[in-house]
Amino acid sequence: MREETDRVHAAASRKAVFRLMPILCLVYFMAFVDRTNVGLAKTSLDADVGISAAAYGTGAGIFFLSYAALEVPSNLVMHRVGPRRWITRIAVTWGALCACMMFVQGELSFYVVRFLLGAAEAGLYPALMYIVTIWFSQRQRVTMVGTIYLAVCAGLALGGPLGGGLMELHGAAGLFGWQWMFLIEGVITILVGGAVWRWMPDRPSDAPWLTAREAAVLDERAVVRTAPAHATLKGNAKVAFGRPFILALSVIYFANQINSVSIQYNFPSIVESLGVEGSFTIGLVSGSVGIGAFVGVLVIPWLHRRAAGELHVLTGVTVATAVVAGSYTLADGAVARILLIDVAMMLLIGVLPLYWSVAMARMSGLMAAAGLAFINTVGLLGGFAGPYLYGFAEGRGSEAGGNAVLVAGAVLGVLLLPLLRRTVRDEDHRSALGTHTEPGVRMERRQ
């Protein structure tokens, strides 16, 4: 009986991978194309409408403030109305606001559109992670999250050349190249929202391409039975947001995002400062970080599957990131600096599936929707702090200050690792004893 169920589950999982994952990857690909190409527009925004390096850093970071503020409410609405409706709404409004970037005329309008864009996109990433928790078993989740991160790699690698090519339309119909870039990207994102509405079911039972037996097995295997399974946040906020391992994981993710987002938004200008010329060429070289991230997403989860657990690999990768960040500050020469940033992104992006695997193994249902959004919210604050501090240092003409931002984020992650290890061990001990929640609260078994 068990072998038959395993066969049904394997067949249903294959269907879910081929039908569902391309849509999720397409949505997230467009998110990273947008983030990559804002970096490409940095120099042109300064020349054409007077947005300085410091103002650019502030505007890039403001996106993450509104994103963070609405992350948890957005994911709670998603849990109520269903991922299909909510992700469609996110894609359509975010695409429309991306197109509105073409109307930016100065610092204030840049801040306003970036703030609204963050509000529109809020909840996208934790919604994608939540979908993984309701479709796939814990054993499959690192691989599925890694697959979604392949879209990040593609966005970083292809977004630069694509955006650089669109910026070559400079002067067509009287528009700047960056205006064409934002307009076309926004229209494409709206079309992607239509694809989500058309082809993405909310849960296995809604999928017309699954049999009733396959849907039931996917539902059963997705359950994490040692995780708290509350039906409401009222009286349970500590379980959703305040468990020590959630707080520790959130702050380490914050440190990761300081570096990752700083690189995403500033790498094109770094490449240009190293003597590379031409929008397309700058975009092409900037896309090398996507290749580094692609290697990381393939290699680091592979190491996890062959190691004694996520925390061992996570520790090694975080320490390596700090070493690479320190090496970057000492490197001479354009090639060495570009290669070190590529290696840093390999580590920073490649380790992310492990962060989410640690979280997903200890969350379920509404607590997963809320908890995953909370972790991402704290990470988004790092996404604000990194570009803001980097832009502040750059505006003062301090390259060393920008480098210090990268080193500080990496060192912070290393210092917090012992706390994460201890809190995860304590969390698992409480789960084993069944003392996680108040008496009578149902627990779900981790698979």
Side-chain angles (χ1 to χ4, degrees):
M1 182 65 177
R2 174 73 181 187
E3 291 181 359
E4 179 190 352
T5 302
D6 288 344
R7 283 194 295 270
V8 172
H9 181 253
S13 294
R14 283 193 296 271
K15 290 183 181 180
V17 167
F18 287 111
R19 298 274 192 152
L20 190 65
M21 298 307 293
I23 302 173
L24 303 186
C25 288
L26 182 60
V27 175
Y28 211 43
F29 169 80
M30 289 307 303
F32 269 79
V33 167
D34 172 58
R35 296 180 196 183
T36 299
N37 289 345
V38 169
L40 280 174
K42 178 180 179 182
T43 303
S44 297
L45 287 170
D46 188 3
D48 297 335
V49 292
I51 296 175
S52 67
Y56 170 83
T58 301
I62 280 176
F63 169 91
F64 289 96
L65 284 184
S66 57
Y67 200 143
L70 295 173
E71 189 83 330
V72 172
S74 176
N75 229 38
L76 294 177
V77 174
M78 180 276 301
H79 185 265
R80 180 179 294 273
V81 305
R84 172 172 168 260
R85 289 183 179 86
W86 199 241
I87 293 177
T88 299
R89 193 283 306 162
I90 288 173
V92 170
T93 54
W94 141 45
L97 285 163
C98 179
C100 286
M101 279 288 293
M102 69 181 293
F103 300 115
V104 165
Q105 294 297 315
E107 293 180 1
L108 179 59
S109 58
F110 180 59
Y111 295 159
V112 170
V113 177
R114 292 296 296 171
F115 182 87
L116 294 175
L117 188 59
E121 197 177 320
L124 174 63
Y125 183 72
L128 300 180
M129 295 299 99
Y130 177 75
I131 290 169
V132 171
T133 69
I134 62 177
W135 280 83
F136 298 100
S137 69
Q138 174 59 26
R139 188 176 303 162
Q140 298 170 307
R141 288 175 187 171
V142 169
T143 301
M144 295 303 107
V145 175
T147 301
I148 291 174
Y149 273 106
L150 291 177
V152 174
C153 304
L156 293 172
L158 300 178
L162 289 173
L166 291 174
M167 288 184 68
E168 297 290 347
L169 294 172
H170 183 81
L175 298 177
F176 295 118
W178 56 269
Q179 290 178 307
W180 278 113
M181 181 180 68
F182 288 127
L183 173 61
I184 293 172
E185 284 176 8
V187 171
I188 293 173
T189 302
I190 292 171
L191 295 176
V192 168
V196 172
W197 178 261
R198 175 67 179 81
W199 287 304
M200 194 187 83
D202 279 325
R203 56 186 60 252
S205 58
D206 297 328
W209 32 267
L210 290 174
T211 67
R213 171 67 170 152
E214 288 172 335
V217 170
L218 285 180
D219 281 333
E220 178 187 354
R221 294 291 177 91
V223 170
V224 183
R225 299 190 188 281
T226 51
H230 303 278
T232 177
L233 271 180
K234 187 177 182 180
N236 299 308
K238 184 177 180 180
V239 177
F241 310 127
R243 285 183 278 167
F245 94 94
I246 293 177
L247 298 176
L249 190 61
S250 298
V251 181
I252 292 181
Y253 188 47
F254 170 90
N256 174 282
Q257 293 297 284
I258 287 176
N259 279 355
S260 175
V261 177
S262 294
I263 291 171
Q264 288 169 39
Y265 281 130
N266 291 287
F267 193 37
S269 63
I270 292 172
V271 170
E272 186 174 7
S273 72
L274 294 173
V276 179
E277 297 180 353
S279 296
F280 179 75
T281 306
I282 292 169
L284 190 64
V285 176
S286 301
S288 64
V289 294
I291 298 173
F294 179 79
V295 173
V297 167
L298 292 179
V299 171
I300 294 175
W302 178 84
L303 290 174
H304 154 67
R305 291 192 293 270
R306 286 154 180 77
E310 296 101 332
L311 294 180
H312 291 82
V313 180
L314 194 154
T315 299
V317 172
T318 305
V319 172
T321 303
V323 172
V324 171
S327 300
Y328 175 79
T329 66
L330 303 174
D332 290 323
V335 174
R337 286 182 162 243
I338 289 170
L339 288 176
L340 283 169
I341 288 180
D342 291 344
V343 173
M345 286 298 281
M346 177 187 77
L347 300 170
L348 290 165
I349 300 297
V351 77
L352 293 181
L354 273 64
Y355 287 128
W356 297 107
S357 176
V358 171
M360 290 174 179
R362 295 159 181 89
M363 297 178 177
S364 185
L366 178 62
M367 296 298 102
L372 293 173
F374 175 78
I375 293 170
N376 205 48
T377 296
V378 178
L380 290 169
L381 295 177
F384 168 76
Y388 175 79
L389 293 173
Y390 196 101
F392 179 79
E394 190 178 31
R396 288 177 168 263
S398 174
E399 181 183 2
N403 293 341
V405 171
L406 302 181
V407 174
V411 171
L412 177 61
V414 173
L415 294 177
L416 290 168
L417 280 170
L419 177 63
L420 178 63
R421 295 177 70 90
R422 184 167 66 251
T423 56
V424 167
R425 183 182 64 243
D426 292 346
E427 173 76 13
D428 292 345
H429 181 65
R430 282 193 297 271
S431 294
L433 294 177
T435 58
H436 227 313
T437 55
E438 298 80 3
V441 173
R442 180 170 62 87
M443 305 289 287
E444 298 192 351
R445 180 174 53 83
R446 199 179 309 142
Q447 296 200 18

